[in-house]
Amino acid sequence: MQTAYLDCFSGVSGDMLLGALLDVGVSESYLRDILSKLSIPGVGLAVERKVVQGFAATKVTVACGHSHHHGAHGHEHRHLADIAGLLAAAAIPPQVRDTALAVFTRLAEAEAAAHGTTADSIHFHEVGAVDAIVDIVGTVAGFAFLDIDRLICSPLPLARGWVTCDHGEIPLPGPAVCQLLAGVPVQGENLDQELVTPTGAALVRELACDFGPMPPMRLARTGYGAGSLVRNDGRPNLLRLMLGQAEEVTEAQMVEVIETHLDDWNPEFWPHVSERLLAAGALDVCLIPIQMKKGRPGFLVRVIVEPAVRLAVAAVLFSETSTIGLRLRREERMTLPRKTVTVGTPWGELAAKQIATPAGEIIAPEYEVCRRVAECHGVPLQAVYAAVSRHQLHQKTRS
């Protein structure tokens, strides 16, 4: 499966996406041909290969002629219906046209929600300008060119500060960006500068199937797209796009370990706490008795999570235990490919795990499934486990 990972360590914008796509291998002539079919007079791309703080990257600037319908900031104001008509008239692939329109629809709905109006009445000021149309159509076409099966996006950094738009000075992150990123993992950045633009946010929401750490894959190519601004903190303003073939294991292989020591907490609460941690996205949880300072008995709580859900898990620990601090560290892990299968037993078909090990495949019983069968039929739990194991032995005998 052709997989792409969008590493937004410095945010995301339309021009950064275009640059990263060209840098990773999208044909420049293909992109120019697609954009020429939009029938927008005077539009063009300036593509520059440059080095940004030691990183070879591609910078894309949209050059466009001026229209007599420009607004206060030199941008042409368009409604969603105007953009839909422009895309419908363009001789571009249907998949590119439909996806680009879906991006603009997301933008219109986000702007409408932010300003208390309807999507149809929204004037696309900055995001309706020619450069944004080029960014959106070009980015959608670029991903279609790469024939990506799955795009994963990293959590997005959101900075503070102010930005000028047709509505005046607005605080960052902008209201449309906040609407677009509802439900997406984000993290604060100590920087007074816009890192995620509305166009960039709408594109990743429409194109990415998931947000989180990089998935397991055999890395093939990496490209960098340069942003228009220089970061105030001296870090490189780049977007990284990584392409590769997905590995069989679909779980995150880079995890975060969260730990805390407790010596003033009632362990009777642990079943409730562990259920809440798992519901918040924890991959595994454990409670370990320890001897703490001054000879007091206590407990070590250890939770393994994907980085994207650490804040939700931390909130559970702070609210459900007596901890006043957590330790966090990144660790790599190795997991075996596995899938759910059904096996025949005297009590019917039961779900079990089929695990691929270096020595061959094994069948592992699922505790909750076996427990329910044992309770329902009044048989020992170990008898249900043994029935699943006999299925595994039977398979080996037949092979």
Side-chain angles (χ1 to χ4, degrees), residues 37-61:
K37 295 175 180 177
L38 293 176
S39 300
I40 302 177
V43 70
L45 289 182
V47 178
E48 177 188 2
R49 312 294 177 179
K50 59 188 303 184
V51 176
V52 179
Q53 294 177 237
F55 289 84
T58 299
K59 176 72 182 76
V60 174
T61 305

Side-chain angles (χ1 to χ4, degrees), residues 167-183:
H167 300 286
E169 294 284 320
I170 62 172
L172 295 174
V177 170
C178 293
Q179 290 287 338
L180 286 161
L181 299 184

Side-chain angles (χ1 to χ4, degrees), residues 125-191:
H125 303 297
E126 285 83 356
V127 295
V130 171
D131 54 351
I133 296 175
V134 170
D135 287 344
I136 290 172
V137 175
T139 296
V140 172
F143 277 106
F145 177 89
L146 294 173
D147 196 23
I148 301 297
D149 297 306
R150 184 177 62 148
L151 172 65
I152 310 296
C153 183
S154 70
L156 296 171
L158 298 181
R160 294 179 57 82
W162 297 83
V163 66
T164 302
C165 70
D166 276 33
H167 300 286
E169 294 284 320
I170 62 172
L172 295 174
V177 170
C178 293
Q179 290 287 338
L180 286 161
L181 299 184
V184 169
V186 298
Q187 57 197 36
E189 190 82 8
N190 187 23
L191 186 68

Side-chain angles (χ1 to χ4, degrees), residues 233-367:
D233 59 2
R235 293 180 176 178
N237 189 24
L238 296 169
L239 175 67
R240 177 159 52 195
L241 179 60
M242 310 169 78
L243 301 183
Q245 288 294 319
E247 294 286 291
E248 287 188 25
V249 177
T250 59
E251 304 157 309
Q253 300 300 288
M254 180 64 72
V255 295
E256 202 152 279
V257 179
I258 305 175
E259 291 184 348
T260 187
H261 290 168
L262 305 173
D263 64 357
D264 57 351
W265 173 74
N266 187 347
E268 291 181 350
F269 300 153
W270 176 243
H272 169 72
V273 175
S274 63
E275 286 182 7
R276 283 207 59 194
L277 290 169
L278 293 171
L283 300 171
D284 199 5
V285 299
C286 67
L287 185 68
I288 305 170
I290 57 174
Q291 197 77 21
M292 297 185 61
K293 61 186 178 181
K294 300 181 182 179
R296 290 183 297 196
F299 298 93
L300 165 63
V301 177
R302 179 178 297 149
V303 187
I304 300 175
V305 302
E306 293 186 12
V309 301
R310 66 173 179 174
L311 293 181
V313 167
V316 173
L317 290 170
F318 281 127
S319 63
E320 294 285 359
T321 74
S322 59
T323 186
I324 59 174
L326 303 173
R327 296 179 301 280
L328 300 92
R329 64 180 183 272
R330 292 283 178 96
E331 291 186 358
E332 293 184 4
R333 68 172 183 170
M334 296 177 65
T335 59
L336 294 172
R338 57 190 183 273
K339 63 182 180 181
T340 299
V341 296
T342 57
V343 300
T345 73
W347 308 280
E349 297 285 327
L350 301 186
K353 288 194 294 282
Q354 181 173 298
I355 305 170
T357 77
E361 291 186 343
I362 62 172
I363 303 294
E366 290 280 13
Y367 168 76

Side-chain angles (χ1 to χ4, degrees), residues 360-392:
E361 291 186 343
I362 62 172
I363 303 294
E366 290 280 13
Y367 168 76
E368 287 295 339
V369 173
C370 294
R371 181 186 62 82
R372 287 194 297 268
V373 169
E375 290 181 352
C376 180
H377 294 275
V379 297
L381 179 60
Q382 62 182 356
V384 185
Y385 263 64
V388 175
S389 299
R390 282 196 297 272
H391 175 86
Q392 180 173 295

Side-chain angles (χ1 to χ4, degrees), residues 42-115:
V43 70
L45 289 182
V47 178
E48 177 188 2
R49 312 294 177 179
K50 59 188 303 184
V51 176
V52 179
Q53 294 177 237
F55 289 84
T58 299
K59 176 72 182 76
V60 174
T61 305
V62 179
C64 55
H66 294 286
S67 166
H68 61 281
H69 292 108
H70 291 178
H73 294 278
H75 295 302
E76 186 174 352
H77 293 190
R78 292 181 173 88
H79 290 86
L80 182 59
D82 299 323
I83 293 173
L86 184 150
L87 294 173
I92 57 179
Q95 177 189 358
V96 173
R97 180 189 62 239
D98 295 345
T99 305
L101 181 58
V103 175
F104 272 107
T105 301
R106 282 184 181 271
L107 273 170
E109 292 173 347
E111 292 280 357
H115 301 298

